Amino acid sequence: MTNVVQVTHAQIPAWRLRRQSLAPHTTAAPEELAERLAGVQAQVPSAAEPALATRRTEPAADAVWVARAARSVVGTWAMRGTPRLLPTAGGGEPGGWLDLAGGPRGPSGRGVGAQR
């Protein structure tokens, strides 16, 4: 038998805001947020900065650039051929995200070395 969960209309957006780390704000580092969000959309490189800033209690204007310099995040084409900011596995190496996305991708959305 399936259990049915009853929710109110007000609970639905509240749940979404919490799951997307929009409310309440967090002290999480950029790499933690990138992991929670399954990547931060960065089609325009500067777009990742406000996406992270809106989720943090103490936003820093250069958080993405600091995280990239520390190699705790990497910018790559991951899902659906869209540039994303993803957490690294440590040491600057891409984590399992690329495996989940089907391997390295280029701007066309095709795998690297894919035949046309």
Side-chain angles (χ1 to χ4, degrees):
M1 181 167 195
T2 304
N3 292 332
V4 177
V5 176
Q6 298 291 324
V7 295
T8 67
H9 287 288
Q11 288 174 312
I12 295 168
W15 178 81
R16 291 185 69 186
L17 289 169
R18 281 192 310 275
R19 295 298 300 159
Q20 294 175 19
S21 296
L22 289 165
H25 290 140
T26 181
T27 58
E31 59 272 15
E32 292 175 69
L33 281 169
E35 185 172 349
R36 282 185 204 170
L37 299 170
V40 176
Q41 209 277 349
Q43 194 160 0
V44 176
S46 61
E49 204 71 67
L52 292 174
T54 57
R55 291 166 165 84
R56 300 186 76 210
T57 52
E58 295 181 23
D62 59 351
V64 169
W65 304 114
V66 170
R68 281 183 171 215
R71 299 185 68 157
S72 60
V73 296
V74 62
T76 188
W77 285 273
M79 296 156 258
R80 298 173 51 204
T82 303
R84 299 223 176 235
L85 193 64
L86 298 172
T88 62
E93 295 299 318
W97 293 100
L98 292 181
D99 293 336
L100 291 173
R105 301 272 180 200
S108 68
R110 294 174 175 243
V112 174
Q115 298 295 318
R116 293 195 183 264

